[in-house]
Amino acid sequence: MKLPVSWRASATAAVAAATLLTSGSIAGAASKADVEAAAAPDIPVANVKAHLTQLQSIATANGGNRAHGRPGYKASLDYVKAKLDAAGYTTAIQQFTSSGRTGYNLIADWPGGDTNQVVMAGSHLDSVSSGPGINDNGSGSAAVLETALAVSRAGYQPTKHLRFAWWGAEELGLVGSRYYVNNLSSANRAKISGYLNFDMIGSPNPGYFVYDDDPAIEKTFKDYYAGLGVATEIETEGDGRSDHAPFKSAGVPVGGLFTGASRTKTAAQAAKWGGTSGQSFDRCYHSSCDTTSNINDTALNRNSDAVAHAVWELSE
Ligand code: TRP
Ligand code: ZN
């Protein structure tokens, strides 16, 4: 669904330049883009859901999961990679070993932009072995994939360079993302202006949580939600529990979105967001019932649009 973009006028070149001087923030130098920003397109939630249907089919055909070291993981990676290759991305598979099994990260670069200023968006593509992992984390994986495809459809040529990533073995302890960060040279690490993480963004009893990390990234998400008239809260269900943590440890500005895992929705949260108080945000967290039925379409739609909004806004 397309929403008003009147909030965009609030970004000023002066603020961006000041932030650049005073911190390691993602906010870049002023450019003509600050006054003539190209708005992010609407991300069709039907397309995002179609990716989830495919990931569900992959799990069903491979013993019910898409876990590290299992055939459903590699099949998931091949599915995402084929879409990106067809859309004009330069893709690379990064292989690693964890618990005696081969794991894979998928990295997709969009040709163009200043490679000294890289904006990354990523999500973990592996599930736990106990289920298909459609909310955790088909949701983030599908939204990032559809945003990457939208970049291609729009022929978007931002000032900065765009890189998308799908991580392996997050469920074994952030293994794939840590491997990626550890294997970057310090020069290449310094070129990453920001890393945006999307892990569980379609929870069935959703909350709207924004990571409290890089201020410019956080503001980008909060402004997006303010434009929708939807309240957000700071993510507190375990900072450091997803793939932004290795980037943050390496000094890269990070941010992200989350709709909640096993924690219980309070009455106050149900009053502002709807849903059911006294119940987990995701009752199927790490369970066999984390299927395509375990998705709130409104949350998935809003967050998919928020992913695209942030990717566009932070790379222009
Ligand atoms: N990363 C966790 C998983 O995959 C889920 C999770 C728990 C999470 N707390 C979080 C994700 C906070 C992002 C932010 O199981
Ligand atoms: Zn998980």
Side-chain angles (χ1 to χ4, degrees):
M1 187 174 62
K2 194 71 187 171
L3 292 137
V5 289
S6 49
W7 52 265
R8 296 178 61 84
S10 65
T12 70
V15 168
T19 310
L20 182 71
L21 290 171
T22 55
S23 75
S25 164
I26 193 174
S31 74
K32 73 175 189 346
D34 290 311
V35 279
E36 300 171 19
D42 179 68
I43 299 300
V45 73
N47 293 10
V48 180
K49 293 191 73 175
H51 300 314
L52 294 181
T53 298
Q54 292 304 310
L55 293 175
Q56 176 70 63
S57 297
I58 287 167
T60 302
N62 289 282
N65 69 74
R66 303 181 301 100
H68 168 72
R70 311 290 186 93
Y73 181 73
K74 185 57 163 50
S76 300
L77 187 120
D78 290 343
Y79 170 77
V80 174
K81 183 177 184 296
K83 297 281 182 197
L84 295 163
D85 287 338
Y89 279 82
T90 303
T91 59
I93 293 175
Q94 183 181 42
Q95 208 169 302
F96 57 87
T97 302
S98 184
S99 301
R101 295 176 191 247
T102 301
Y104 310 90
N105 294 325
L106 175 63
I107 310 296
D109 282 272
W110 181 238
D114 179 1
T115 52
N116 290 313
Q117 302 180 81
V118 180
V119 173
M120 286 190 75
S123 56
H124 77 85
L125 185 57
D126 64 313
S127 72
V128 290
S129 56
S130 50
I134 298 304
N135 184 39
D136 180 15
N137 183 32
S139 62
S141 296
V144 173
L145 172 58
E146 194 55 30
T147 296
L149 299 179
V151 165
S152 170
R153 285 193 295 264
Y156 185 39
Q157 286 298 334
T159 304
K160 296 180 184 171
H161 179 79
L162 289 175
R163 180 176 300 151
F164 298 91
W166 289 263
W167 308 118
E170 187 270 354
E171 299 289 5
L172 279 69
L174 319 179
V175 174
S177 54
R178 183 167 290 131
Y179 184 86
Y180 176 82
V181 171
N182 285 346
N183 284 280
L184 281 173
S185 65
S186 56
N188 282 336
R189 201 182 311 138
K191 292 176 184 177
I192 304 176
S193 307
Y195 171 71
L196 312 177
N197 192 61
F198 303 99
D199 183 0
M200 304 184 71
I201 60 168
S203 302
N205 185 28
Y208 293 93
F209 299 103
V210 178
Y211 299 3
D212 184 23
D213 275 294
D214 178 71
I217 298 174
E218 186 178 339
K219 182 180 189 314
T220 303
F221 288 126
K222 284 180 170 173
D223 285 351
Y224 179 78
Y225 268 97
L228 297 189
V230 174
T232 60
E233 290 185 13
I234 295 304
E235 188 286 302
T236 59
E237 195 174 352
D239 194 26
R241 276 182 66 185
S242 192
D243 299 297
H244 56 296
F247 287 88
K248 184 176 176 169
S249 299
V252 175
V254 303
L257 298 172
F258 179 58
T259 51
S262 49
R263 195 174 277 181
T264 302
K265 184 178 273 189
T266 66
Q269 288 170 330
K272 62 181 166 187
W273 291 326
T276 310
S277 67
Q279 200 171 93
S280 290
F281 294 106
D282 182 355
R283 287 194 290 177
C284 290
Y285 177 60
H286 285 186
S287 301
S288 58
C289 60
D290 186 9
T291 65
T292 47
S293 305
N294 192 44
I295 289 288
N296 180 283
D297 289 358
T298 300
L300 186 69
N301 183 36
R302 288 171 172 169
N303 280 332
S304 298
D305 291 343
V307 174
H309 168 72
V311 164
W312 252 257
E313 181 93 347
L314 295 169
S315 64
E316 68 192 14

